[in-house]
Amino acid sequence: MRISVFGAGYVGLVTSATLAENGHNVLCIDIDESKINSLSSGMVPFYEPRLEEILRSNIAGGRLSFSSEAPAGISHGQVIFIAVGTPPLADGSADLCAVLAIAASIGQHMSESKIVVDKSTVPVGTSNVVKAAISGELLSRNVDFEFHVVSNPEFLKEGSAIDDALKPDRIIVGAESENAFHVLREIFSPFVRRDNVLIEMDPASAELTKYASNAMLASRISLMNELSRLAEKTGADIENVRRGVGSDSRIGPSFLYAGAGFGGSCFPKDVSALIATSRSLGLEPHLLAAINKVNIEQQDILFEKIRNRFQEDLASKTITVWGLSFKPDTDDMRNSPSLPLIRALLEAGAKVQAYDPIATQNARVHLSDFPQIVFSEDKYSALHGSNALVLVTEWKEFRAPDFDFIIKTLVQPVVFDGRNQWDPGN
């Protein structure tokens, strides 16, 4: 099938590459011409395991191409995916400007029946807004082409997005017509050959499912972080608590790890958007607000532990930070817990030596106001002359470090495990 994907960001590229991998003819559109030129030559602007390999393979196979021309994308696609960003506005609500700009462009240029698929994370009711935007443009042209708007939210985890897309645990499709359901079943049939994981519903339910999923996962993290504070005060071991709680089949072990708080582009943004939507409808989302509050407070705790350990005298101290990205296997620095920690350390007068396997370049951009940070080439060289080591991101290469070397190299043998990854007995 001929498919167009508007947006060459994280979701758009993974969607484009994996649809092409399963045999579809995909044209990916983005307004950034320099990005399109790089992508056309097989260069991915961010790190995601296996994405560049799949992208290059499908470009070579003629199944995937790129363009900055919106009319070309609208003409090409029997089905048009909208996969652009919906960043938070000042009140926490989602900014739909990019989504609606594409919807208007579709209405301005379509010349035959289309199915338009919202892949972007959007508030409940956005499918109706997109439909109205397209209809308004068709009316202004005095033409009438049949089209359907479908909600198909993404459930990609950075670091494992290719597997998530190619072997999904669920595919949510929200539509209002049997024709739209039929076409989406055809598109996703290669993805569900072994297990039928496609779940059909109305668009509003599909839109809310995405937000509800992220809010549920964020709530588990914030609850464990709040319990970790209680554990510390009472002498309990939060890791033992996690194992005990996670063994309950009704709960399970996922997303129960206490640590420095959640980050990334999804959880903070989506919880805030859900709060904003609730309040716009006259509902006060007490639990959702608490999830965000606990997470913000949690990101301050690691700095407070460091400051208390050194009796509030950080001006003469050097601190090594291992892990900068918001999670392993990505170079994404958005809302990473490392950022408020490093800023707080520097503002308190400490020196910072940092190491990350992948995210150093992006970290330099996010911390450009602090040129005094030393970014090291490997984890052990970052320890020299340092008074303490802080683990912030649990990359695999940090799982079993040489603690004898760490202790010998640090000026003081002080380690702060921000992810509860290491056994204190080592």
Side-chain angles (χ1 to χ4, degrees), residues 1-2 23 57 73 90 99 102 110 173 210 226 243 254 264 270 283 301 319 363 407 411:
M1 187 174 294
R2 297 192 319 277
S57 171
V99 171
I102 293 168
M110 64 184 289
V173 175
K210 166 64 175 179
E226 191 159 57
R243 290 190 293 120
S254 298
D270 292 353
L283 303 172
I301 286 178
I319 309 297
I407 291 171
V411 175

Side-chain angles (χ1 to χ4, degrees), residues 22 36 49 72 88 115 129 183 186 367:
N22 274 312
I36 290 298
I115 291 180
V129 179
V183 172
E186 182 179 347
L367 294 164

